[in-house]
Amino acid sequence: MVGFSIGGNIALRLTGKLAGHACGNLDSCIAACPPVDLEACSDRLCAPSNRLYDRHLLSVLRRTNRRR
């Protein structure tokens, strides 16, 4: 499994919860730049200086959700 940024944090949490249990063909996990403190990361994403990125991220998530 590979995860980048927040996806990396999710991948690490999942593999931690699966420790010692088989999960299909999953045998390794790589996380690139995962945030360690999700609360601080969320606070910074919502800061006025990051408004453009925050809006972009939300629009991408909404489009992805509509496709499902």
Side-chain angles (χ1 to χ4, degrees):
M1 174 183 335
V2 177
F4 297 91
S5 189
I6 293 176
N9 182 283
I10 293 167
L12 290 174
R13 289 189 65 210
L14 176 63
T15 55
K17 289 182 178 184
L18 292 173
H21 299 91
C23 182
N25 294 327
L26 180 64
D27 63 355
S28 60
C29 176
I30 297 173
C33 301
V36 176
D37 185 344
L38 287 178
E39 184 175 2
C41 179
S42 178
D43 289 344
R44 291 209 176 145
L45 283 175
C46 294
S49 60
N50 291 319
R51 186 171 298 146
L52 182 63
Y53 178 77
D54 185 43
R55 287 182 180 172
H56 171 71
L57 178 62
L58 286 175
S59 69
V60 169
L61 291 173
R62 285 181 183 133
R63 273 185 268 137
T64 301
N65 192 38
R66 281 187 211 130
R67 291 182 196 148
R68 293 182 179 186

